[in-house]
Amino acid sequence: MSRKNIAIAGLLTTVCASALILGVRSSNDGTVRQAGVSQTGNSKSVRSQAAREQTVKKTYLSQDVQTTESLTHLDAGRDLKTMLSKAAGQPADQVASYARKLQRSHGHIAMLMWIDFSTGKASTFKSVQPKGTAQQEKIMQQYLSAAKTAIKRQGAYESPAFTVGDKSYFLMGQRSSDGRYGVIGLIDRTVLKQVTNHQQKNLRLIPYPKEGRFRVESVHTDTLRDITVKTGHDNENASHYYENEIVVRFRNEIPDNRQLQAIAREIHGSAPRKLGYAYIFRSSDMTYPELKNYFESRWHPQYTEPHYMYLTNDTVSENMTYDAAPNDMLFSAYQWNLPVIETGKGWNLSRGSNTVPVAVVDTGVQADHPDLKGQLLKGYNAIIGSGLPDDDVGHGTHVTGIIGALVNNGEGVAGISWYNKILPVKVLDNTGAGTTYSVAEGIIWAADHGAKVINLSLGNYADSQFLHDAIKYAYNKDVVLVSASGNDNTERPGYPAAYPEVLAVAATTASDERASFSNYGDYVDVAAPGESIASTYIGSQYAALSGTSMASPHAAALAGLVRSLNPDLTNKEVMSLMTKNAVDLGAKGHDKYFGWGRLDVYRTLQAAAGEGVAVEQWPQHVQSRLQQLQRRLKGLM
């Protein structure tokens, strides 16, 4: 599709798309109404339902703000401790240089005070001088004096929140381990106001903007469940194998599905994986010798053997499996969402690949966020047609962190993918809104610039053929497209999520229940965590947001891991693996609230690595691959 055609279609298309715009429609008289609400809107039942929904959404908002405040305090404490470890004992000019550098990259640090207790000298570095009333500034000075005294005596200090001018702050102080140095930071709490404003729009807690200006949607789990990879060792030179698994090739009489299910029950396992002519069975409590005895006595197979582990020579040992949490500061306390979808177990199979870019078509990204360093490719700004895709909202940076924040760097949060590069594409402006033109152009640009997966945490209830053409363009280039279902608790289909080429993602809570704001319908394919998801945020900060916008990148990241593990899979096959290996929630099978179920990273990656393509699907698979090759060759001519 040429840029000229895009422009013409964009001029003809008046519908705007935004992150979580999915909840507005126009009546015949031109007024804006909420989707799913009766046109009369006068009945007590409608008002009562709306009031209950407002109460629930306010609870989500409060939870997001409280979690973000906790993240802010932890992150500030880490920054101060890092400064102490790096600047202690250094000349004054180097201390000043480090302080200025920290303030440049962390705009919320309004003031730093460095204290040498051995000399009694204090140096103050201000990036923003707070201006307020005489009483407000007096209170701030009182807290500052208390901080100096406290860190000298006890080693640490945190003040209550206080206001200076129109901003809220808190003071935090830390002392070096040898007691010689101290540092105090004045921390701007504006991020809490940003999250509040963001989520009020996203969760529809404030009136809708004028038609044509739609707003951001968001979305978001609990305990890390360890898995232990058990390996058997006959002696130190023996090969390693999975102790609870066995590879079986049956003779001519291959068990049917009913018999395979019976076997799984008898060995206390799950459905087997099929690879070629063989099956891999796993038991929850039987060892390999016990499994071998079971199959040989009951099925007389052609052969049985251990499920061997083939290791690279990169000094990989059992210690390198991820049964434990990564060391990212906020992971254990706040990132419930990764353990619940079995991300840690999945990392033992795939941590991504830099040859499989994941595009985030959104509000852009903060390119210099410390937790995204080295994770970003050069992107595109479809709003102005050139320039960097800078994020002036926060939504795109948050989505990006869920997918690809640095893992095991001791900083902030962990992304789902370690190595998939992020291709940021800005299609939504500083209000969180963008035209169908900008969104369609962003999708096409991402597809043309190597994206293997595209995340779309945005939407509209208007079924735009132009947008659909862009979706089909990317899909026909073998891109996996993933989109959020929306945050209006309505069954009305939202787009692009409802297009058949797109994997539509609903939101779940930490208890694996449907998030009350999550849109639903027959078009929903899977569900993923969307409640108070901690991730990167603009200003080199971190925030917790709720919404299907947060659920969608979980699925996009998983698609990136799958394509990294098995690059030969088509986009359709990747989506099929993700739905077939989801954890069934709600009504058995597909339902309108959870689709095929909540994502499971480990099960999906196991299937991608071990199942291959069923014999009966092989002709279609080959045909699909040939068609892809033909399209690629045609594009090169």
Side-chain angles (χ1 to χ4, degrees), residues 344-563:
K345 291 172 69 174
W347 283 340
N348 293 313
L349 299 175
S350 174
R351 297 176 201 170
S353 167
N354 59 16
T355 63
V356 180
V358 178
V360 175
V361 175
D362 210 290
T363 62
V365 67
Q366 182 194 331
D368 61 351
H369 196 292
D371 221 358
L372 298 174
K373 186 177 180 181
Q375 299 294 84
L376 306 175
L377 299 172
K378 185 179 180 181
Y380 178 64
N381 189 329
I383 298 296
I384 60 176
S386 62
L388 298 175
D390 292 327
D391 188 2
D392 41 17
V393 176
H395 190 268
T397 299
H398 197 273
V399 168
T400 296
I402 294 171
I403 298 171
L406 289 167
V407 183
N408 249 14
N409 66 334
E411 169 117 19
V413 296
I416 295 171
S417 168
W418 295 49
Y419 304 124
N420 293 101
K421 298 297 184 183
I422 306 298
L423 186 64
V425 184
K426 183 176 180 66
V427 300
L428 307 177
D429 63 20
N430 60 5
T431 69
T435 63
T436 305
Y437 162 75
S438 64
V439 175
E441 184 186 16
I443 292 169
I444 292 168
W445 187 93
D448 285 344
H449 287 79
K452 302 297 183 184
V453 180
I454 296 177
N455 184 79
L456 297 158
S457 288
L458 47 81
N460 195 320
Y461 292 118
D463 181 2
S464 163
Q465 185 59 52
F466 175 52
L467 180 62
H468 197 185
D469 284 345
I471 291 289
K472 287 187 284 189
Y473 177 84
Y475 184 82
N476 289 334
K477 290 178 75 73
D478 196 37
V479 176
V480 176
L481 295 125
V482 182
S483 185
S485 67
N487 297 341
D488 289 311
N489 185 30
T490 178
E491 195 169 1
R492 186 180 182 187
Y495 301 93
Y499 292 131
E501 299 84 4
V502 177
L503 188 81
V505 187
T508 54
T509 68
S511 55
D512 256 353
E513 297 174 341
R514 170 182 166 262
S516 60
F517 53 77
S518 183
N519 285 5
Y520 54 93
D522 292 339
Y523 67 94
V524 171
D525 295 300
V526 291
E531 176 187 58
S532 287
I533 303 300
S535 186
T536 47
Y537 203 68
I538 52 175
S540 299
Q541 298 192 78
Y542 299 88
L545 300 178
S546 299
T548 55
S549 280
M550 281 61 256
S552 182
H554 288 76
L558 176 53
L561 295 180
V562 171
R563 303 206 92 165

Side-chain angles (χ1 to χ4, degrees), residues 136-185:
Q136 288 175 335
E137 293 184 13
K138 180 181 178 181
I139 291 173
M140 180 175 68
Q141 290 301 322
Q142 288 174 345
Y143 284 133
L144 184 58
S145 297
K148 293 176 185 177
T149 302
I151 63 173
K152 186 174 183 179
R153 292 177 179 174
Q154 291 96 32
Y157 175 80
E158 280 191 39
S159 78
F162 57 89
T163 299
V164 180
D166 60 353
K167 290 188 176 182
S168 178
Y169 300 89
F170 69 91
L171 280 162
M172 176 177 282
Q174 300 279 351
R175 188 183 66 189
S176 62
S177 57
D178 62 6
R180 181 175 176 181
Y181 301 98
V183 62
I184 298 171

